[in-house]
mmCIF file of all heavy atoms in Angstrom:
data_model
loop_
_atom_site.group_PDB
_atom_site.id
_atom_site.type_symbol
_atom_site.label_atom_id
_atom_site.label_comp_id
_atom_site.label_asym_id
_atom_site.label_seq_id
_atom_site.Cartn_x
_atom_site.Cartn_y
_atom_site.Cartn_z
ATOM 1 N N LEU A 1 0.822 -1.211 0.000
ATOM 2 C CA LEU A 1 0.000 0.000 0.000
ATOM 3 C C LEU A 1 0.860 1.266 0.000
ATOM 4 O O LEU A 1 0.402 2.328 -0.413
ATOM 5 C CB LEU A 1 -0.933 -0.005 1.212
ATOM 6 C CG LEU A 1 -2.008 -1.105 1.210
ATOM 7 C CD1 LEU A 1 -2.778 -1.095 2.527
ATOM 8 C CD2 LEU A 1 -2.957 -0.958 0.028
ATOM 9 N N ALA A 2 2.105 1.124 0.459
ATOM 10 C CA ALA A 2 3.037 2.262 0.439
ATOM 11 C C ALA A 2 3.768 2.378 -0.890
ATOM 12 O O ALA A 2 4.590 3.290 -1.061
ATOM 13 C CB ALA A 2 4.040 2.128 1.584
ATOM 14 N N GLY A 3 3.497 1.450 -1.818
ATOM 15 C CA GLY A 3 4.066 1.559 -3.151
ATOM 16 C C GLY A 3 5.164 0.577 -3.486
ATOM 17 O O GLY A 3 5.744 0.652 -4.577
ATOM 18 N N GLU A 4 5.455 -0.375 -2.592
ATOM 19 C CA GLU A 4 6.513 -1.334 -2.884
ATOM 20 C C GLU A 4 6.033 -2.401 -3.873
ATOM 21 O O GLU A 4 4.832 -2.624 -4.053
ATOM 22 C CB GLU A 4 7.007 -1.981 -1.588
ATOM 23 C CG GLU A 4 7.721 -1.006 -0.672
ATOM 24 C CD GLU A 4 8.536 -1.711 0.404
ATOM 25 O OE1 GLU A 4 8.742 -2.942 0.293
ATOM 26 O OE2 GLU A 4 8.962 -1.025 1.350
ATOM 27 N N ASN A 5 6.987 -3.084 -4.485
ATOM 28 C CA ASN A 5 6.687 -4.150 -5.445
ATOM 29 C C ASN A 5 5.834 -5.227 -4.778
ATOM 30 O O ASN A 5 6.191 -5.727 -3.713
ATOM 31 C CB ASN A 5 7.998 -4.754 -5.954
ATOM 32 C CG ASN A 5 7.783 -5.688 -7.134
ATOM 33 O OD1 ASN A 5 6.895 -6.533 -7.127
ATOM 34 N ND2 ASN A 5 8.613 -5.535 -8.148
ATOM 35 N N PRO A 6 4.697 -5.619 -5.386
ATOM 36 C CA PRO A 6 3.783 -6.556 -4.731
ATOM 37 C C PRO A 6 4.128 -8.023 -4.894
ATOM 38 O O PRO A 6 3.387 -8.880 -4.397
ATOM 39 C CB PRO A 6 2.446 -6.249 -5.424
ATOM 40 C CG PRO A 6 2.839 -5.838 -6.806
ATOM 41 C CD PRO A 6 4.126 -5.070 -6.633
ATOM 42 N N ILE A 7 5.230 -8.370 -5.547
ATOM 43 C CA ILE A 7 5.463 -9.764 -5.896
ATOM 44 C C ILE A 7 5.551 -10.670 -4.669
ATOM 45 O O ILE A 7 5.001 -11.772 -4.657
ATOM 46 C CB ILE A 7 6.728 -9.902 -6.785
ATOM 47 C CG1 ILE A 7 6.837 -11.343 -7.293
ATOM 48 C CG2 ILE A 7 7.984 -9.471 -6.037
ATOM 49 C CD1 ILE A 7 7.858 -11.506 -8.395
ATOM 50 N N THR A 8 6.221 -10.226 -3.605
ATOM 51 C CA THR A 8 6.323 -11.053 -2.395
ATOM 52 C C THR A 8 4.971 -11.222 -1.728
ATOM 53 O O THR A 8 4.604 -12.316 -1.288
ATOM 54 C CB THR A 8 7.330 -10.437 -1.407
ATOM 55 O OG1 THR A 8 8.604 -10.315 -2.047
ATOM 56 C CG2 THR A 8 7.484 -11.303 -0.170
ATOM 57 N N PHE A 9 4.205 -10.157 -1.673
ATOM 58 C CA PHE A 9 2.851 -10.197 -1.116
ATOM 59 C C PHE A 9 1.975 -11.172 -1.902
ATOM 60 O O PHE A 9 1.297 -12.030 -1.325
ATOM 61 C CB PHE A 9 2.273 -8.786 -1.136
ATOM 62 C CG PHE A 9 0.817 -8.685 -0.785
ATOM 63 C CD1 PHE A 9 0.355 -9.009 0.474
ATOM 64 C CD2 PHE A 9 -0.100 -8.218 -1.729
ATOM 65 C CE1 PHE A 9 -0.994 -8.891 0.801
ATOM 66 C CE2 PHE A 9 -1.443 -8.090 -1.413
ATOM 67 C CZ PHE A 9 -1.890 -8.442 -0.145
ATOM 68 N N LEU A 10 2.011 -11.086 -3.217
ATOM 69 C CA LEU A 10 1.184 -11.964 -4.044
ATOM 70 C C LEU A 10 1.628 -13.413 -3.935
ATOM 71 O O LEU A 10 0.804 -14.334 -3.879
ATOM 72 C CB LEU A 10 1.237 -11.499 -5.500
ATOM 73 C CG LEU A 10 0.635 -10.119 -5.781
ATOM 74 C CD1 LEU A 10 0.916 -9.693 -7.215
ATOM 75 C CD2 LEU A 10 -0.866 -10.118 -5.495
ATOM 76 N N PHE A 11 2.917 -13.648 -3.877
ATOM 77 C CA PHE A 11 3.459 -15.010 -3.769
ATOM 78 C C PHE A 11 3.042 -15.665 -2.468
ATOM 79 O O PHE A 11 2.911 -16.894 -2.388
ATOM 80 C CB PHE A 11 4.984 -14.960 -3.867
ATOM 81 C CG PHE A 11 5.643 -16.310 -3.780
ATOM 82 C CD1 PHE A 11 5.649 -17.171 -4.856
ATOM 83 C CD2 PHE A 11 6.256 -16.709 -2.593
ATOM 84 C CE1 PHE A 11 6.248 -18.428 -4.765
ATOM 85 C CE2 PHE A 11 6.861 -17.962 -2.501
ATOM 86 C CZ PHE A 11 6.858 -18.813 -3.591
ATOM 87 N N ASN A 12 2.791 -14.870 -1.429
ATOM 88 C CA ASN A 12 2.438 -15.399 -0.114
ATOM 89 C C ASN A 12 0.945 -15.318 0.186
ATOM 90 O O ASN A 12 0.542 -15.230 1.347
ATOM 91 C CB ASN A 12 3.232 -14.658 0.966
ATOM 92 C CG ASN A 12 4.682 -15.093 1.008
ATOM 93 O OD1 ASN A 12 5.015 -16.130 1.569
ATOM 94 N ND2 ASN A 12 5.562 -14.296 0.403
ATOM 95 N N GLY A 13 0.129 -15.361 -0.847
ATOM 96 C CA GLY A 13 -1.319 -15.424 -0.646
ATOM 97 C C GLY A 13 -2.029 -14.103 -0.690
ATOM 98 O O GLY A 13 -3.230 -14.036 -0.410
ATOM 99 N N GLY A 14 -1.322 -13.043 -1.060
ATOM 100 C CA GLY A 14 -1.953 -11.735 -1.123
ATOM 101 C C GLY A 14 -3.038 -11.637 -2.179
ATOM 102 O O GLY A 14 -3.942 -10.794 -2.076
ATOM 103 N N ASP A 15 -2.971 -12.500 -3.212
ATOM 104 C CA ASP A 15 -4.013 -12.494 -4.231
ATOM 105 C C ASP A 15 -5.379 -12.806 -3.627
ATOM 106 O O ASP A 15 -6.407 -12.264 -4.051
ATOM 107 C CB ASP A 15 -3.682 -13.486 -5.349
ATOM 108 C CG ASP A 15 -3.498 -14.905 -4.840
ATOM 109 O OD1 ASP A 15 -2.959 -15.096 -3.726
ATOM 110 O OD2 ASP A 15 -3.887 -15.846 -5.569
ATOM 111 N N LYS A 16 -5.398 -13.683 -2.608
ATOM 112 C CA LYS A 16 -6.665 -14.004 -1.945
ATOM 113 C C LYS A 16 -7.185 -12.801 -1.152
ATOM 114 O O LYS A 16 -8.396 -12.568 -1.058
ATOM 115 C CB LYS A 16 -6.477 -15.199 -1.016
ATOM 116 C CG LYS A 16 -6.074 -16.479 -1.722
ATOM 117 C CD LYS A 16 -7.224 -17.027 -2.551
ATOM 118 C CE LYS A 16 -6.869 -18.345 -3.212
ATOM 119 N NZ LYS A 16 -6.626 -19.415 -2.242
ATOM 120 N N THR A 17 -6.276 -12.031 -0.585
ATOM 121 C CA THR A 17 -6.686 -10.829 0.139
ATOM 122 C C THR A 17 -7.286 -9.805 -0.817
ATOM 123 O O THR A 17 -8.351 -9.232 -0.550
ATOM 124 C CB THR A 17 -5.480 -10.224 0.889
ATOM 125 O OG1 THR A 17 -5.039 -11.162 1.881
ATOM 126 C CG2 THR A 17 -5.846 -8.921 1.562
ATOM 127 N N ILE A 18 -6.615 -9.582 -1.936
ATOM 128 C CA ILE A 18 -7.141 -8.647 -2.930
ATOM 129 C C ILE A 18 -8.521 -9.089 -3.404
ATOM 130 O O ILE A 18 -9.456 -8.278 -3.504
ATOM 131 C CB ILE A 18 -6.165 -8.536 -4.115
ATOM 132 C CG1 ILE A 18 -4.864 -7.863 -3.657
ATOM 133 C CG2 ILE A 18 -6.797 -7.753 -5.264
ATOM 134 C CD1 ILE A 18 -3.768 -7.858 -4.697
ATOM 135 N N ALA A 19 -8.681 -10.387 -3.674
ATOM 136 C CA ALA A 19 -9.967 -10.907 -4.136
ATOM 137 C C ALA A 19 -11.066 -10.685 -3.107
ATOM 138 O O ALA A 19 -12.217 -10.395 -3.453
ATOM 139 C CB ALA A 19 -9.842 -12.386 -4.471
ATOM 140 N N SER A 20 -10.726 -10.803 -1.829
ATOM 141 C CA SER A 20 -11.742 -10.629 -0.789
ATOM 142 C C SER A 20 -12.239 -9.188 -0.739
ATOM 143 O O SER A 20 -13.410 -8.939 -0.438
ATOM 144 C CB SER A 20 -11.192 -11.057 0.578
ATOM 145 O OG SER A 20 -10.290 -10.110 1.121
ATOM 146 N N TYR A 21 -11.351 -8.231 -1.024
ATOM 147 C CA TYR A 21 -11.775 -6.828 -1.059
ATOM 148 C C TYR A 21 -12.528 -6.512 -2.352
ATOM 149 O O TYR A 21 -13.524 -5.776 -2.335
ATOM 150 C CB TYR A 21 -10.577 -5.900 -0.897
ATOM 151 C CG TYR A 21 -10.131 -5.764 0.542
ATOM 152 C CD1 TYR A 21 -9.048 -6.483 1.028
ATOM 153 C CD2 TYR A 21 -10.820 -4.930 1.418
ATOM 154 C CE1 TYR A 21 -8.653 -6.369 2.351
ATOM 155 C CE2 TYR A 21 -10.426 -4.809 2.742
ATOM 156 C CZ TYR A 21 -9.344 -5.538 3.207
ATOM 157 O OH TYR A 21 -8.962 -5.432 4.523
ATOM 158 N N GLU A 22 -12.077 -7.077 -3.456
ATOM 159 C CA GLU A 22 -12.764 -6.835 -4.722
ATOM 160 C C GLU A 22 -14.186 -7.392 -4.684
ATOM 161 O O GLU A 22 -15.102 -6.817 -5.287
ATOM 162 C CB GLU A 22 -11.970 -7.446 -5.867
ATOM 163 C CG GLU A 22 -10.670 -6.687 -6.151
ATOM 164 C CD GLU A 22 -9.878 -7.288 -7.283
ATOM 165 O OE1 GLU A 22 -10.058 -8.485 -7.570
ATOM 166 O OE2 GLU A 22 -9.066 -6.540 -7.886
ATOM 167 N N ALA A 23 -14.390 -8.496 -3.949
ATOM 168 C CA ALA A 23 -15.717 -9.097 -3.856
ATOM 169 C C ALA A 23 -16.698 -8.225 -3.082
ATOM 170 O O ALA A 23 -17.910 -8.402 -3.195
ATOM 171 C CB ALA A 23 -15.620 -10.478 -3.202
ATOM 172 N N ARG A 24 -16.172 -7.269 -2.321
ATOM 173 C CA ARG A 24 -17.052 -6.430 -1.504
ATOM 174 C C ARG A 24 -17.001 -4.964 -1.912
ATOM 175 O O ARG A 24 -17.438 -4.102 -1.161
ATOM 176 C CB ARG A 24 -16.680 -6.577 -0.029
ATOM 177 C CG ARG A 24 -15.219 -6.267 0.245
ATOM 178 C CD ARG A 24 -14.835 -6.593 1.655
ATOM 179 N NE ARG A 24 -15.429 -5.643 2.569
ATOM 180 C CZ ARG A 24 -15.559 -5.846 3.884
ATOM 181 N NH1 ARG A 24 -15.169 -6.985 4.413
ATOM 182 N NH2 ARG A 24 -16.083 -4.934 4.655
ATOM 183 N N GLY A 25 -16.454 -4.689 -3.067
ATOM 184 C CA GLY A 25 -16.539 -3.316 -3.538
ATOM 185 C C GLY A 25 -15.284 -2.753 -4.159
ATOM 186 O O GLY A 25 -15.347 -1.762 -4.876
ATOM 187 N N GLY A 26 -14.125 -3.342 -3.881
ATOM 188 C CA GLY A 26 -12.950 -2.851 -4.573
ATOM 189 C C GLY A 26 -11.689 -2.799 -3.741
ATOM 190 O O GLY A 26 -11.705 -2.885 -2.522
ATOM 191 N N TRP A 27 -10.595 -2.684 -4.432
ATOM 192 C CA TRP A 27 -9.251 -2.589 -3.882
ATOM 193 C C TRP A 27 -8.751 -1.175 -4.114
ATOM 194 O O TRP A 27 -9.082 -0.581 -5.143
ATOM 195 C CB TRP A 27 -8.356 -3.611 -4.592
ATOM 196 C CG TRP A 27 -6.940 -3.598 -4.163
ATOM 197 C CD1 TRP A 27 -5.886 -2.996 -4.805
ATOM 198 C CD2 TRP A 27 -6.395 -4.224 -3.004
ATOM 199 N NE1 TRP A 27 -4.725 -3.206 -4.112
ATOM 200 C CE2 TRP A 27 -5.006 -3.954 -3.002
ATOM 201 C CE3 TRP A 27 -6.942 -4.963 -1.962
ATOM 202 C CZ2 TRP A 27 -4.170 -4.410 -1.997
ATOM 203 C CZ3 TRP A 27 -6.107 -5.423 -0.963
ATOM 204 C CH2 TRP A 27 -4.739 -5.146 -0.985
ATOM 205 N N PRO A 28 -8.003 -0.555 -3.213
ATOM 206 C CA PRO A 28 -7.402 -1.079 -1.987
ATOM 207 C C PRO A 28 -8.364 -1.117 -0.810
ATOM 208 O O PRO A 28 -9.515 -0.714 -0.942
ATOM 209 C CB PRO A 28 -6.265 -0.082 -1.732
ATOM 210 C CG PRO A 28 -6.794 1.211 -2.283
ATOM 211 C CD PRO A 28 -7.580 0.832 -3.507
ATOM 212 N N PRO A 29 -7.890 -1.593 0.352
ATOM 213 C CA PRO A 29 -8.752 -1.661 1.533
ATOM 214 C C PRO A 29 -9.263 -0.283 1.932
ATOM 215 O O PRO A 29 -8.616 0.739 1.670
ATOM 216 C CB PRO A 29 -7.823 -2.231 2.623
ATOM 217 C CG PRO A 29 -6.749 -2.948 1.873
ATOM 218 C CD PRO A 29 -6.552 -2.157 0.610
ATOM 219 N N PRO A 30 -10.416 -0.236 2.597
ATOM 220 C CA PRO A 30 -10.966 1.051 3.037
ATOM 221 C C PRO A 30 -10.100 1.696 4.116
ATOM 222 O O PRO A 30 -9.268 1.046 4.745
ATOM 223 C CB PRO A 30 -12.343 0.688 3.572
ATOM 224 C CG PRO A 30 -12.235 -0.746 3.958
ATOM 225 C CD PRO A 30 -11.290 -1.363 2.963
ATOM 226 N N ARG A 31 -10.343 2.982 4.321
ATOM 227 C CA ARG A 31 -9.517 3.761 5.251
ATOM 228 C C ARG A 31 -9.508 3.166 6.655
ATOM 229 O O ARG A 31 -8.474 3.121 7.320
ATOM 230 C CB ARG A 31 -10.031 5.203 5.290
ATOM 231 C CG ARG A 31 -9.196 6.136 6.159
ATOM 232 C CD ARG A 31 -9.724 7.548 6.077
ATOM 233 N NE ARG A 31 -9.728 8.015 4.686
ATOM 234 C CZ ARG A 31 -10.259 9.185 4.318
ATOM 235 N NH1 ARG A 31 -10.829 9.984 5.215
ATOM 236 N NH2 ARG A 31 -10.222 9.547 3.054
ATOM 237 N N GLU A 32 -10.662 2.688 7.129
ATOM 238 C CA GLU A 32 -10.733 2.128 8.481
ATOM 239 C C GLU A 32 -9.824 0.919 8.611
ATOM 240 O O GLU A 32 -9.143 0.739 9.640
ATOM 241 C CB GLU A 32 -12.178 1.744 8.809
ATOM 242 C CG GLU A 32 -12.379 1.229 10.226
ATOM 243 C CD GLU A 32 -13.815 0.834 10.494
ATOM 244 O OE1 GLU A 32 -14.541 0.500 9.539
ATOM 245 O OE2 GLU A 32 -14.207 0.849 11.678
ATOM 246 N N HIS A 33 -9.765 0.082 7.596
ATOM 247 C CA HIS A 33 -8.897 -1.085 7.630
ATOM 248 C C HIS A 33 -7.424 -0.670 7.585
ATOM 249 O O HIS A 33 -6.581 -1.272 8.259
ATOM 250 C CB HIS A 33 -9.220 -2.013 6.465
ATOM 251 C CG HIS A 33 -10.487 -2.789 6.648
ATOM 252 N ND1 HIS A 33 -10.722 -4.016 6.055
ATOM 253 C CD2 HIS A 33 -11.606 -2.528 7.368
ATOM 254 C CE1 HIS A 33 -11.921 -4.459 6.387
ATOM 255 N NE2 HIS A 33 -12.474 -3.564 7.183
ATOM 256 N N ARG A 34 -7.123 0.338 6.791
ATOM 257 C CA ARG A 34 -5.736 0.777 6.690
ATOM 258 C C ARG A 34 -5.260 1.407 7.995
ATOM 259 O O ARG A 34 -4.114 1.211 8.413
ATOM 260 C CB ARG A 34 -5.589 1.754 5.518
ATOM 261 C CG ARG A 34 -5.875 1.093 4.180
ATOM 262 C CD ARG A 34 -5.727 2.017 3.005
ATOM 263 N NE ARG A 34 -4.329 2.376 2.775
ATOM 264 C CZ ARG A 34 -3.894 2.947 1.649
ATOM 265 N NH1 ARG A 34 -4.747 3.229 0.677
ATOM 266 N NH2 ARG A 34 -2.628 3.239 1.502
ATOM 267 N N ARG A 35 -6.140 2.151 8.662
ATOM 268 C CA ARG A 35 -5.777 2.700 9.976
ATOM 269 C C ARG A 35 -5.489 1.577 10.961
ATOM 270 O O ARG A 35 -4.550 1.666 11.761
ATOM 271 C CB ARG A 35 -6.890 3.598 10.500
ATOM 272 C CG ARG A 35 -6.925 4.990 9.898
ATOM 273 C CD ARG A 35 -7.738 5.953 10.774
ATOM 274 N NE ARG A 35 -9.100 5.492 10.945
ATOM 275 C CZ ARG A 35 -10.127 5.910 10.211
ATOM 276 N NH1 ARG A 35 -9.934 6.783 9.245
ATOM 277 N NH2 ARG A 35 -11.344 5.459 10.442
ATOM 278 N N PHE A 36 -6.322 0.541 10.936
ATOM 279 C CA PHE A 36 -6.118 -0.598 11.812
ATOM 280 C C PHE A 36 -4.756 -1.236 11.542
ATOM 281 O O PHE A 36 -3.975 -1.497 12.471
ATOM 282 C CB PHE A 36 -7.239 -1.614 11.605
ATOM 283 C CG PHE A 36 -7.048 -2.914 12.339
ATOM 284 C CD1 PHE A 36 -7.329 -3.011 13.686
ATOM 285 C CD2 PHE A 36 -6.592 -4.041 11.672
ATOM 286 C CE1 PHE A 36 -7.153 -4.207 14.366
ATOM 287 C CE2 PHE A 36 -6.411 -5.243 12.337
ATOM 288 C CZ PHE A 36 -6.699 -5.322 13.691
ATOM 289 N N LEU A 37 -4.441 -1.495 10.285
ATOM 290 C CA LEU A 37 -3.170 -2.129 9.933
ATOM 291 C C LEU A 37 -1.986 -1.288 10.390
ATOM 292 O O LEU A 37 -1.011 -1.814 10.940
ATOM 293 C CB LEU A 37 -3.102 -2.359 8.423
ATOM 294 C CG LEU A 37 -4.076 -3.382 7.846
ATOM 295 C CD1 LEU A 37 -4.128 -3.273 6.331
ATOM 296 C CD2 LEU A 37 -3.694 -4.795 8.272
ATOM 297 N N ASP A 38 -2.058 0.016 10.183
ATOM 298 C CA ASP A 38 -0.948 0.890 10.556
ATOM 299 C C ASP A 38 -0.754 0.987 12.064
ATOM 300 O O ASP A 38 0.322 1.358 12.529
ATOM 301 C CB ASP A 38 -1.177 2.291 9.991
ATOM 302 C CG ASP A 38 -0.956 2.366 8.491
ATOM 303 O OD1 ASP A 38 -0.295 1.467 7.939
ATOM 304 O OD2 ASP A 38 -1.450 3.331 7.868
ATOM 305 N N SER A 39 -1.791 0.654 12.839
ATOM 306 C CA SER A 39 -1.720 0.814 14.292
ATOM 307 C C SER A 39 -1.096 -0.383 14.995
ATOM 308 O O SER A 39 -0.856 -0.331 16.204
ATOM 309 C CB SER A 39 -3.135 1.030 14.855
ATOM 310 O OG SER A 39 -3.884 -0.181 14.843
ATOM 311 N N LEU A 40 -0.839 -1.478 14.278
ATOM 312 C CA LEU A 40 -0.473 -2.737 14.932
ATOM 313 C C LEU A 40 0.953 -2.712 15.470
ATOM 314 O O LEU A 40 1.905 -2.513 14.714
ATOM 315 C CB LEU A 40 -0.612 -3.898 13.932
ATOM 316 C CG LEU A 40 -1.977 -4.055 13.262
ATOM 317 C CD1 LEU A 40 -1.919 -5.174 12.224
ATOM 318 C CD2 LEU A 40 -3.064 -4.339 14.294
ATOM 319 N N PRO A 41 1.146 -2.963 16.773
ATOM 320 C CA PRO A 41 2.496 -3.103 17.324
ATOM 321 C C PRO A 41 3.045 -4.490 17.019
ATOM 322 O O PRO A 41 2.299 -5.397 16.619
ATOM 323 C CB PRO A 41 2.290 -2.920 18.826
ATOM 324 C CG PRO A 41 0.913 -3.453 19.063
ATOM 325 C CD PRO A 41 0.111 -3.100 17.826
ATOM 326 N N ALA A 42 4.330 -4.674 17.193
ATOM 327 C CA ALA A 42 4.965 -5.962 16.892
ATOM 328 C C ALA A 42 5.290 -6.773 18.135
ATOM 329 O O ALA A 42 5.661 -7.944 18.021
ATOM 330 C CB ALA A 42 6.240 -5.756 16.074
#
């Protein structure tokens, strides 16, 4: 989402994630989901 090459993401199942968002209205994820992702500690 920050603009990096998606090949590693897609190789590791990211295509299924994209499909799940496209099935409900489109890619990329909505703002609420992106805020959630950015907030996650490690």
Side-chain angles (χ1 to χ4, degrees):
L1 294 174
E4 293 196 13
N5 190 314
I7 188 168
T8 302
F9 171 65
L10 295 172
F11 180 77
N12 285 280
D15 58 324
K16 297 290 183 65
T17 296
I18 293 173
S20 75
Y21 281 100
E22 289 180 337
R24 56 188 288 162
W27 178 261
R31 184 177 302 174
E32 184 181 25
H33 285 207
R34 296 181 70 166
R35 281 199 301 264
F36 173 79
L37 293 167
D38 286 341
S39 74
L40 305 176

